[in-house]
Amino acid sequence: AYAVLAPILMGMGVCSGEHASGVIQFVRAQPISIRRMATVRWIAGACVLLIPLLCVTAICWIVMCFEDQVGAQSVRTDAAFTLIPGWGETFTLFFLTVAGMAACLNLYSWIVAVAVNQRTEFRAGLIGLLVTVAMFFVGIGGMSSFEIFLADVSVPGLFGLISSPMVSIGIIDFIRHSLPWLAVLAVIWQMLLTIGLMQVMVFRYGREERWLSGDFFKRTKSSATEAYQLGKPQPSQWRALLWLQMRQSMPVCMVGLCLVPTIVLMTGGYAADSFDSMYPTIGCVLALLIGVGSFVTELQPGLHAFWRSRPISPTSWFWFKFIGGAIALIGLFDVPCMLLTWSGIVRTSSPGFAAAFPMLLHILFYSVAVFMACSVRHSSYSTVLAVGALMLILVPELADFRVPRS
């Protein structure tokens, strides 16, 4: 779970922190190599990403030192460390830590390399979510072809597996099937891939990329013609707010429409629990990104002062954005997933109205994210605080979350 969410949050700041705060020109003017600054940002982000895993490992090791504990806690702890017969608990914990750190670093490298130089952290987060789903899709495809590889070499599937975060699980399977050379190959390839993706980010960082700025096709028209293309002024506040919300919801709509078929492909042919886990988890991440990204951008000091000078009620502005984001989340992600569940296209162990429960969970995540965004007005801090608040609310269920069966 940490390997899915944390790289997206960290990548948002690394990819677009300077662009979102409007200081990228100042950064370019400094007497320091832009490549060196990009390298430091990449390394610092990776360290911040991996330190929590080391802390969790230390806590787990301390818990494991209490051998005389009784009850369900000791049963769960013992059952969690039976991956490979003959491995000790300490070595297994160390192996799991390294595997989790490798998965986080792999996903972080992909996200930062693809989403660097985005103008807003919101867009960087949405692109990061798409990259995350795509990489796990490639990894799951590689895992499914691993059994075929044992009988007949499947180079594309193996390459996809060792290039994705799923390689952490794949290495365990390599060891189980007595293929140590394949585990060594995966580790070496992961190291080379991470270094290569870091170089891509360093090369692109801070550059003027026309295809990102919207000027890919150079315009030669006059400013009067461009102003005319904006359309006539809206006759009322309500229509102006509706037009603005529709424009801002377009990235969310595109991401939602891409995620639904991807989840179906990822879970097709697998156990019903795969969809039950994928659908709520990806929806929660999307809800956090929409709730934080859509509000924080317009609450920045300069733009916030502009909004306060407009003849529009802040209450009307808030409710238009809140309801518009909720509609985009439910209409373009939750409703299609529920329809696929009810129609039987995807396999699920939660038919009927139980499939609607994740929608309520996503609305809860979205509401808490909006509350934190309006209170803190900072993308990264708002997201971390929202996740922390939701942990406190949902801690009884997070240990083994499942969609209700009845």
Side-chain angles (χ1 to χ4, degrees):
Y2 181 85
V4 173
L5 179 61
I8 299 176
L9 304 183
M10 184 55 58
M12 288 168 56
V14 174
C15 290
S16 58
E18 285 78 9
H19 290 81
S21 57
V23 298
I24 187 62
Q25 296 296 339
F26 173 79
V27 171
R28 293 192 185 114
Q30 298 308 302
I32 303 175
S33 170
I34 196 72
R35 294 176 65 88
R36 179 179 298 181
M37 296 181 65
T39 302
V40 171
R41 284 190 63 83
W42 193 97
I43 295 175
C47 292
V48 174
L49 183 66
L50 300 181
I51 285 175
L53 287 177
L54 296 177
C55 297
V56 170
T57 301
I59 295 174
C60 290
W61 183 78
I62 293 173
V63 172
M64 288 166 54
C65 291
F66 294 93
E67 299 291 348
D68 296 331
Q69 60 179 329
V70 295
Q73 179 65 34
S74 61
V75 174
R76 284 201 304 270
T77 305
D78 182 68
F81 290 95
T82 56
L83 292 176
I84 304 296
W87 284 16
E89 293 183 351
T90 303
F91 183 78
T92 303
L93 178 62
F94 172 77
F95 181 85
L96 290 175
T97 303
V98 173
M101 294 174 69
C104 286
L105 199 60
N106 176 285
L107 190 54
Y108 169 77
S109 302
W110 280 106
I111 291 174
V112 174
V114 174
V116 66
N117 291 337
Q118 293 298 316
R119 289 180 178 270
T120 64
E121 293 184 353
F122 181 41
R123 290 189 177 185
L126 292 178
I127 293 176
L129 179 59
L130 287 177
V131 172
T132 300
V133 175
M135 292 311 302
F136 275 96
F137 174 72
V138 172
I140 288 178
M143 288 291 292
S144 64
S145 64
F146 177 67
E147 295 182 358
I148 301 176
F149 172 79
L150 294 176
D152 185 17
V153 176
S154 176
V155 176
L158 179 63
F159 181 78
L161 173 60
I162 66 175
S163 300
S164 73
M166 297 292 289
V167 71
S168 299
I169 303 176
I171 289 178
I172 298 176
D173 288 336
F174 299 160
I175 297 175
R176 283 175 172 170
H177 290 88
S178 300
L179 296 172
W181 63 271
L182 202 51
V184 174
L185 174 64
V187 172
I188 296 175
W189 175 247
Q190 282 283 302
M191 295 174 61
L192 295 176
L193 182 65
T194 301
I195 295 174
L197 291 173
M198 182 183 70
Q199 294 303 315
V200 171
M201 181 268 182
V202 170
F203 177 78
R204 293 181 55 197
Y205 177 80
R207 291 177 175 268
E208 292 283 356
E209 296 180 315
R210 293 173 57 194
W211 66 280
L212 287 176
S213 62
D215 297 330
F216 185 74
F217 300 102
K218 187 175 181 180
R219 298 178 180 178
T220 58
K221 298 181 181 180
S222 64
S223 58
T225 305
E226 291 180 356
Y228 176 76
Q229 290 178 347
L230 293 176
K232 297 180 180 180
Q234 300 297 327
S236 65
Q237 297 180 8
W238 301 100
R239 292 185 60 178
L241 289 171
L242 181 61
W243 175 84
L244 177 64
Q245 185 59 41
M246 291 178 61
R247 288 289 300 270
Q248 293 177 341
S249 298
M250 289 180 62
V252 180
C253 297
M254 298 300 297
V255 171
L257 293 176
C258 292
L259 286 177
V260 174
T262 305
I263 295 176
V264 174
L265 291 174
M266 290 178 66
T267 58
Y270 295 93
D273 283 348
S274 61
F275 180 81
D276 294 343
S277 301
M278 274 295 204
Y279 165 41
T281 303
I282 295 178
C284 289
V285 178
L286 183 61
L288 287 173
L289 294 177
I290 296 175
V292 172
S294 60
F295 277 84
V296 168
T297 302
E298 295 187 9
L299 291 174
Q300 298 300 316
L303 194 55
H304 179 255
F306 169 80
W307 271 109
R308 297 293 294 185
S309 67
R310 299 298 91 188
I312 297 176
S313 169
T315 303
S316 302
W317 167 84
F318 172 83
W319 282 113
F320 257 93
K321 288 194 68 64
F322 183 85
I323 296 175
I327 291 176
L329 173 65
I330 296 174
L332 294 168
F333 182 76
D334 286 303
V335 171
C337 287
M338 284 191 296
L339 293 177
L340 291 172
T341 302
W342 292 341
S343 63
I345 296 178
V346 297
R347 298 178 58 189
T348 178
S349 58
S350 306
F353 288 100
F357 172 75
M359 180 180 67
L360 303 178
L361 182 67
H362 298 160
I363 291 297
L364 173 64
F365 269 65
Y366 173 72
S367 302
V368 175
V370 170
F371 173 77
M372 291 300 177
C374 293
S375 302
V376 182
R377 302 185 182 184
H378 189 281
S379 296
S380 300
Y381 298 154
S382 301
T383 308
V384 172
L385 290 174
V387 173
L390 291 163
M391 286 287 188
L392 295 177
I393 296 173
L394 301 174
V395 67
E397 303 299 330
L398 286 175
D400 189 14
F401 174 74
R402 292 289 186 273
V403 179
R405 280 356 184 223
S406 62

